[in-house]
Amino acid sequence: MSSPSRIQATSEPTTTPAGRTRPTAAEALAELLAGNERFVTRRPRHGHSVEAAASGDQEPSALVVGCIDSRVPLEAIFDQTFGSICVARSGGQVLDRAVLGSVEFAVAELKVPLVVVLGHERCGAVAATVTALRTGERPGGALGYLVDEIAPAVTEVGLDEPDVVALALRRHTVRTVRAVADAERVAERVATGAVEVVGAIYDLDTGRVALLD
């Protein structure tokens, strides 16, 4: 939940298996925000060609944890090409063992210096959780798990808040950032300054990504 100017740098420079200098968390975040600016201003740099996919290396500079919403394609809104970022998506960017395992793999094995937890406005999973809590009708099946995981954020905000969905989305994103940062293999690298975990919100109307304070 930091701006590029406030985010801590990695403790010391590192290199990728191919011998290239790995970006710091601040550099990775600056590139994502620059890519989002290119996206918003309709000046994207990266296309999606077979040639780019075939020749790309697996040396990502960031992992983005986002929602499955079809209006929020993560590589597109950050204008990133093949091999530049890892992506983990679930309804309402809810964490389960598979998502957390994917985060730990990206951090510990791929050595990404940055993890971004990205919520988005008008999130259906958050809205469904608000409805479930108001009606007292928890969805059945695995969908109930999403509601259970988002419910604490809604409760903290309060069901009587006029803008409860938007406020709960931000609270849930903050809670998810904390959960990611506290994951065992992530926390180890956070403690050494080797990785930063930040939260952000995507505006469906403008296309812009705003970091959470």
Side-chain angles (χ1 to χ4, degrees):
M1 303 186 308
S2 305
S3 70
S5 61
R6 296 198 307 269
I7 202 168
Q8 295 179 2
T10 52
S11 55
E12 58 184 32
T14 59
T15 58
T16 69
R20 288 188 284 269
T21 301
R22 192 182 303 277
T24 65
E27 290 168 341
L29 183 56
E31 167 52 27
L32 289 184
L33 295 178
N36 180 242
E37 183 65 22
R38 294 193 300 269
F39 169 74
V40 169
T41 57
R42 295 172 176 78
R43 295 180 291 106
R45 176 186 300 164
H46 300 294
H48 294 134
S49 66
V50 173
E51 291 77 15
S55 61
D57 295 321
Q58 168 75 330
E59 296 179 349
S61 61
L63 164 68
V64 182
V65 180
C67 182
I68 63 168
D69 195 296
S70 60
R71 299 167 294 180
V72 193
L74 300 178
E75 291 88 347
I77 67 174
F78 287 115
D79 189 31
Q80 298 298 301
T81 191
F82 294 99
S84 59
I85 62 172
C86 292
V87 165
R89 301 178 71 172
S90 65
Q93 67 273 2
V94 164
L95 301 176
D96 61 11
R97 288 179 62 84
V99 174
L100 268 178
S102 301
V103 172
E104 290 192 346
F105 179 82
V107 168
E109 304 300 328
L110 299 179
K111 301 295 191 293
V112 297
L114 175 70
V115 178
V116 178
V117 177
L118 183 69
H120 68 90
E121 293 185 339
R122 303 197 296 278
C123 179
V126 176
T129 301
V130 171
T131 298
L133 292 179
R134 282 177 171 167
T135 62
E137 298 179 0
R138 178 184 182 275
L143 180 56
Y145 176 79
L146 296 184
V147 168
D148 292 343
E149 292 298 299
I150 298 172
V154 178
T155 301
E156 288 178 10
V157 167
L159 284 171
D160 294 332
E161 284 290 336
D163 204 13
V164 60
V165 173
L167 293 173
L169 165 66
R170 281 157 176 76
R171 187 67 59 87
H172 172 60
T173 304
V174 169
R175 289 173 58 90
T176 306
V177 167
R178 292 173 182 162
V180 168
D182 288 342
E184 181 178 355
R185 301 189 75 185
V186 180
E188 294 171 354
R189 293 182 64 79
V190 168
T192 64
V195 68
E196 294 280 347
V197 184
V198 304
I201 302 294
Y202 177 70
D203 188 322
L204 290 172
D205 297 316
T206 67
R208 195 171 297 280
V209 172
L211 296 175
L212 291 175
D213 295 327

Coordinates of all heavy atoms in Angstrom, one line a residue, residues 155-200:
T155 N -18.5 -6.6 7.6 CA -18.9 -6.4 9.0 C -18.2 -5.2 9.6 O -18.7 -4.4 10.3 CB -18.7 -7.7 9.8 OG1 -19.4 -8.7 9.2 CG2 -19.1 -7.5 11.2
E156 N -16.9 -5.1 9.3 CA -16.1 -4.0 9.8 C -16.6 -2.7 9.3 O -16.6 -1.7 10.1 CB -14.6 -4.2 9.4 CG -13.9 -5.3 10.2 CD -12.5 -5.5 9.7 OE1 -12.0 -4.6 8.9 OE2 -11.9 -6.5 10.1
V157 N -17.0 -2.6 8.1 CA -17.5 -1.3 7.5 C -18.9 -1.0 8.1 O -19.2 0.1 8.4 CB -17.6 -1.4 5.9 CG1 -18.4 -0.3 5.4 CG2 -16.2 -1.4 5.4
G158 N -19.8 -2.1 8.1 CA -21.1 -1.9 8.7 C -22.1 -1.9 7.5 O -22.0 -1.2 6.5
L159 N -23.1 -2.8 7.7 CA -24.2 -2.9 6.6 C -25.0 -1.7 6.4 O -25.6 -1.5 5.4 CB -25.1 -4.1 7.0 CG -24.5 -5.5 6.7 CD1 -25.4 -6.6 7.3 CD2 -24.3 -5.8 5.2
D160 N -25.0 -0.8 7.4 CA -25.9 0.4 7.3 C -25.2 1.5 6.6 O -25.8 2.6 6.3 CB -26.3 0.9 8.7 CG -27.2 -0.1 9.4 OD1 -27.9 -0.9 8.7 OD2 -27.1 -0.2 10.7
E161 N -23.9 1.4 6.3 CA -23.2 2.4 5.5 C -23.8 2.5 4.1 O -24.0 1.5 3.4 CB -21.7 2.0 5.4 CG -20.9 2.3 6.6 CD -20.7 3.7 6.9 OE1 -20.8 4.6 6.0 OE2 -20.5 4.1 8.1
P162 N -24.1 3.8 3.7 CA -24.7 4.0 2.3 C -23.8 3.4 1.2 O -24.4 2.9 0.2 CB -24.8 5.5 2.2 CG -24.8 6.0 3.7 CD -23.9 5.0 4.4
D163 N -22.5 3.5 1.3 CA -21.6 3.1 0.3 C -20.9 1.8 0.7 O -19.7 1.7 0.5 CB -20.6 4.2 0.0 CG -20.0 4.1 -1.4 OD1 -20.6 3.3 -2.3 OD2 -19.0 4.8 -1.7
V164 N -21.6 0.9 1.3 CA -21.0 -0.3 1.9 C -20.2 -1.1 0.9 O -19.2 -1.6 1.3 CB -22.1 -1.1 2.6 CG1 -23.2 -1.6 1.7 CG2 -21.4 -2.3 3.4
V165 N -20.7 -1.3 -0.3 CA -20.0 -2.2 -1.2 C -18.6 -1.6 -1.6 O -17.6 -2.3 -1.5 CB -20.8 -2.4 -2.5 CG1 -20.0 -3.1 -3.6 CG2 -22.1 -3.2 -2.2
A166 N -18.5 -0.3 -1.9 CA -17.3 0.3 -2.2 C -16.3 0.4 -1.0 O -15.1 0.1 -1.1 CB -17.5 1.8 -2.7
L167 N -16.9 0.7 0.2 CA -16.0 0.7 1.4 C -15.5 -0.7 1.7 O -14.4 -0.9 2.1 CB -16.8 1.3 2.5 CG -17.2 2.8 2.4 CD1 -18.1 3.3 3.5 CD2 -15.9 3.7 2.4
A168 N -16.4 -1.7 1.6 CA -16.0 -3.0 2.0 C -15.0 -3.6 1.0 O -14.1 -4.3 1.4 CB -17.3 -3.9 2.0
L169 N -15.1 -3.2 -0.3 CA -14.1 -3.6 -1.3 C -12.7 -3.1 -0.8 O -11.7 -3.9 -0.9 CB -14.4 -3.0 -2.6 CG -13.3 -3.0 -3.7 CD1 -13.0 -4.5 -4.0 CD2 -13.6 -2.2 -4.9
R170 N -12.6 -1.9 -0.4 CA -11.3 -1.3 0.0 C -10.8 -2.0 1.3 O -9.7 -2.4 1.4 CB -11.4 0.2 0.2 CG -11.4 0.9 -1.1 CD -12.0 2.3 -1.1 NE -11.8 3.0 -2.4 CZ -12.5 2.7 -3.4 NH1 -13.4 1.8 -3.4 NH2 -12.3 3.4 -4.6
R171 N -11.7 -2.2 2.2 CA -11.3 -2.9 3.4 C -10.9 -4.4 3.2 O -9.9 -4.8 3.7 CB -12.5 -2.9 4.4 CG -12.2 -3.5 5.8 CD -11.2 -2.5 6.5 NE -11.7 -1.2 6.7 CZ -12.5 -0.8 7.7 NH1 -12.8 -1.7 8.7 NH2 -12.9 0.4 7.8
H172 N -11.6 -5.0 2.3 CA -11.3 -6.4 1.9 C -9.9 -6.5 1.2 O -9.1 -7.4 1.5 CB -12.3 -7.0 1.0 CG -12.0 -8.3 0.4 ND1 -11.7 -9.4 1.2 CD2 -11.8 -8.7 -0.9 CE1 -11.4 -10.5 0.4 NE2 -11.5 -10.1 -0.8
T173 N -9.6 -5.5 0.4 CA -8.3 -5.4 -0.3 C -7.2 -5.2 0.7 O -6.2 -5.9 0.6 CB -8.3 -4.3 -1.4 OG1 -9.4 -4.5 -2.3 CG2 -7.0 -4.3 -2.1
V174 N -7.4 -4.3 1.7 CA -6.4 -4.1 2.7 C -6.2 -5.4 3.5 O -5.0 -5.8 3.8 CB -6.8 -3.0 3.6 CG1 -5.9 -2.9 4.9 CG2 -6.8 -1.6 2.9
R175 N -7.3 -6.1 3.9 CA -7.1 -7.3 4.6 C -6.4 -8.4 3.8 O -5.6 -9.1 4.4 CB -8.5 -7.8 5.0 CG -9.2 -7.0 6.1 CD -10.7 -7.5 6.3 NE -10.7 -8.9 6.6 CZ -10.7 -9.4 7.9 NH1 -10.6 -8.5 8.9 NH2 -10.7 -10.7 8.1
T176 N -6.6 -8.4 2.5 CA -5.9 -9.4 1.7 C -4.5 -9.1 1.6 O -3.6 -10.0 1.6 CB -6.6 -9.4 0.3 OG1 -8.0 -9.7 0.4 CG2 -6.0 -10.5 -0.6
V177 N -4.1 -7.8 1.5 CA -2.7 -7.4 1.5 C -2.0 -7.9 2.7 O -0.9 -8.5 2.7 CB -2.6 -5.9 1.4 CG1 -1.1 -5.4 1.7 CG2 -3.0 -5.4 0.0
R178 N -2.7 -7.7 3.9 CA -2.1 -8.2 5.1 C -1.9 -9.7 5.1 O -0.9 -10.2 5.6 CB -2.9 -7.7 6.3 CG -2.9 -6.2 6.5 CD -3.9 -5.8 7.6 NE -4.0 -4.4 7.7 CZ -5.0 -3.7 8.3 NH1 -6.0 -4.4 8.8 NH2 -4.9 -2.4 8.5
A179 N -2.9 -10.4 4.6 CA -2.8 -11.9 4.6 C -1.7 -12.4 3.7 O -1.0 -13.3 4.0 CB -4.2 -12.5 4.2
V180 N -1.6 -11.7 2.6 CA -0.5 -12.1 1.7 C 0.9 -11.8 2.3 O 1.8 -12.7 2.3 CB -0.6 -11.3 0.3 CG1 0.7 -11.5 -0.5 CG2 -1.8 -11.8 -0.5
A181 N 1.0 -10.7 2.9 CA 2.3 -10.3 3.5 C 2.6 -11.2 4.7 O 3.8 -11.4 5.0 CB 2.3 -8.9 4.0
D182 N 1.6 -11.8 5.4 CA 1.8 -12.6 6.5 C 2.0 -14.1 6.1 O 2.4 -14.9 7.0 CB 0.6 -12.6 7.5 CG 0.6 -11.2 8.2 OD1 1.6 -10.5 8.3 OD2 -0.5 -10.9 8.7
A183 N 1.8 -14.5 4.9 CA 2.0 -15.9 4.5 C 3.5 -16.2 4.7 O 4.4 -15.4 4.5 CB 1.7 -16.0 3.0
E184 N 3.7 -17.4 5.2 CA 5.1 -17.8 5.7 C 6.2 -17.5 4.8 O 7.2 -16.8 5.2 CB 5.1 -19.3 6.0 CG 6.4 -19.8 6.6 CD 6.4 -21.3 6.9 OE1 5.3 -21.9 6.8 OE2 7.4 -21.8 7.3
R185 N 6.2 -17.9 3.5 CA 7.3 -17.7 2.6 C 7.4 -16.3 2.1 O 8.4 -15.9 1.6 CB 7.3 -18.7 1.5 CG 7.3 -20.2 2.0 CD 7.5 -21.2 0.9 NE 8.9 -21.2 0.4 CZ 9.3 -21.9 -0.7 NH1 8.4 -22.6 -1.3 NH2 10.6 -21.8 -1.0
V186 N 6.3 -15.6 2.1 CA 6.3 -14.2 1.8 C 6.8 -13.3 2.9 O 7.7 -12.5 2.7 CB 4.8 -13.7 1.4 CG1 4.9 -12.2 1.0 CG2 4.3 -14.5 0.2
A187 N 6.4 -13.6 4.1 CA 6.8 -12.8 5.3 C 8.3 -12.9 5.4 O 8.9 -11.9 5.8 CB 6.1 -13.4 6.5
E188 N 8.9 -14.0 5.1 CA 10.4 -14.2 5.2 C 11.1 -13.2 4.3 O 12.1 -12.5 4.7 CB 10.8 -15.6 4.8 CG 10.3 -16.7 5.8 CD 10.6 -18.1 5.3 OE1 11.0 -18.2 4.1 OE2 10.3 -19.0 6.0
R189 N 10.5 -13.0 3.1 CA 11.2 -12.1 2.2 C 10.8 -10.6 2.4 O 11.5 -9.7 2.1 CB 10.9 -12.5 0.7 CG 11.6 -13.8 0.4 CD 11.3 -14.3 -1.0 NE 11.9 -13.4 -2.0 CZ 13.2 -13.4 -2.3 NH1 14.1 -14.2 -1.8 NH2 13.7 -12.6 -3.2
V190 N 9.6 -10.4 3.0 CA 9.2 -9.1 3.3 C 10.1 -8.6 4.4 O 10.6 -7.4 4.4 CB 7.7 -9.0 3.8 CG1 7.4 -7.7 4.5 CG2 6.8 -9.2 2.7
A191 N 10.5 -9.4 5.4 CA 11.3 -9.1 6.5 C 12.7 -8.6 6.1 O 13.4 -7.8 6.7 CB 11.4 -10.2 7.5
T192 N 13.2 -9.2 5.0 CA 14.5 -8.9 4.5 C 14.5 -7.7 3.5 O 15.6 -7.3 3.0 CB 15.2 -10.1 3.8 OG1 14.5 -10.5 2.6 CG2 15.3 -11.3 4.8
G193 N 13.3 -7.2 3.1 CA 13.2 -6.2 2.1 C 13.3 -6.7 0.7 O 13.4 -5.9 -0.2
A194 N 13.2 -8.0 0.5 CA 13.3 -8.6 -0.9 C 12.0 -8.5 -1.6 O 12.0 -8.7 -2.9 CB 13.8 -10.0 -0.8
V195 N 10.9 -8.3 -1.0 CA 9.6 -8.2 -1.6 C 8.7 -7.2 -0.9 O 8.8 -7.0 0.3 CB 8.9 -9.5 -1.7 CG1 8.4 -10.0 -0.4 CG2 7.7 -9.5 -2.7
E196 N 7.9 -6.5 -1.7 CA 6.9 -5.6 -1.1 C 5.5 -6.0 -1.6 O 5.3 -6.6 -2.7 CB 7.1 -4.1 -1.6 CG 8.4 -3.5 -1.2 CD 8.3 -3.0 0.2 OE1 7.2 -2.9 0.8 OE2 9.3 -2.6 0.8
V197 N 4.5 -5.8 -0.7 CA 3.1 -6.2 -1.0 C 2.3 -4.9 -0.9 O 2.3 -4.2 0.1 CB 2.6 -7.2 0.0 CG1 1.2 -7.7 -0.4 CG2 3.5 -8.5 0.0
V198 N 1.6 -4.6 -2.0 CA 0.8 -3.3 -2.0 C -0.6 -3.6 -2.5 O -0.9 -4.6 -3.1 CB 1.4 -2.3 -3.0 CG1 2.9 -2.0 -2.6 CG2 1.4 -2.7 -4.4
G199 N -1.5 -2.7 -2.1 CA -2.9 -2.8 -2.6 C -3.3 -1.7 -3.5 O -2.8 -0.6 -3.4
A200 N -4.3 -2.0 -4.4 CA -4.7 -1.0 -5.3 C -6.2 -1.3 -5.7 O -6.6 -2.4 -5.6 CB -3.8 -0.9 -6.5

